[in-house]
Amino acid sequence: MAELTSMMNIGKKMAQKLTAVGIGSPEKLVEAGSKEAFFRLKVVYPQVCLVHLYALEGAIQNIEFNCLPEEKKRELKEFSNCLKGAPPKS
């Protein structure tokens, strides 16, 4: 089984945090998806931010997080805001 750190955007610390929330392999991350993985991280590590969510999505898509399409970034930002209790933008 491949290591999480073999994925784009996933360093040692992120891999440790993902493993702590039950996502211990690239396959598990892809299966969970970026939003579910971020939600699990947010419960245990409230300081994770939008950039972490971008990094997770980039890892799944195998692209640098800052190369995500703007539409995907907007969607992820709305999701992150909902977790903070902010109303979605109209």
Side-chain angles (χ1 to χ4, degrees):
M1 191 168 0
E3 298 284 325
L4 281 164
T5 54
S6 69
M7 298 180 83
M8 182 91 54
N9 308 317
I10 306 293
K12 280 185 182 179
K13 288 190 185 251
M14 177 65 91
Q16 289 170 341
K17 288 177 181 176
L18 286 167
T19 300
V21 297
I23 301 172
S25 69
E27 296 80 13
K28 292 265 188 201
L29 178 54
V30 170
E31 183 182 310
S34 61
K35 292 177 183 177
E36 173 65 23
F38 183 72
F39 176 76
R40 291 190 202 178
L41 287 171
K42 197 79 171 155
V43 169
V44 178
Y45 304 98
Q47 75 279 12
V48 295
C49 65
L50 181 60
V51 174
H52 293 91
L53 179 54
Y54 290 170
L56 293 167
E57 182 63 29
I60 290 168
Q61 292 190 29
N62 196 35
I63 59 174
E64 293 284 340
F65 73 90
N66 54 356
C67 293
L68 289 170
E70 289 304 314
E71 184 176 321
K72 178 55 83 171
K73 286 181 182 178
R74 272 192 299 279
E75 173 194 326
L76 296 173
K77 186 173 184 174
E78 276 187 28
F79 176 77
S80 176
N81 285 342
C82 285
L83 293 181
K84 293 184 216 172
K89 287 189 176 182
S90 308

